[in-house]
Amino acid sequence: MTAIETPLTVPTPQVRVNLLRRLLKRPIGAASLVFLALIGVVAIFGPLIAPQDPNLASLQQVLAPPSADHLL
């Protein structure tokens, strides 16, 4: 039988495009990146933006009429 010689290395393309550069090249990519950054900032500073406890509810005041107590 004859031996089949196979190359040890697989040729790869030399073009490596930076992901950030590809995202910023297109307007929709840049808008998506800005949106994700905004979501990250809101997630980090969430307790400062809305300091009230979302799980705290008073069943006695659920049907209370509007008053000055509702204002922040």
Side-chain angles (χ1 to χ4, degrees):
M1 295 201 164
T2 60
I4 299 173
E5 293 184 23
T6 58
L8 296 177
T9 60
V10 177
T12 58
Q14 295 296 326
V15 180
R16 290 184 181 233
V17 179
N18 190 3
L19 178 63
L20 183 62
R21 190 179 301 157
R22 272 195 310 183
L23 282 175
L24 293 177
K25 188 186 293 186
R26 297 183 181 142
I28 193 75
S32 299
L33 195 61
V34 167
F35 180 73
L36 287 175
L38 180 67
I39 294 288
V41 168
V42 169
I44 291 171
F45 294 110
L48 296 174
I49 296 170
Q52 293 83 17
D53 185 11
N55 298 320
L56 182 65
S58 174
L59 294 177
Q60 296 173 348
Q61 295 185 0
V62 169
L63 299 175
S67 68
D69 294 335
H70 291 93
L71 299 176
L72 296 176

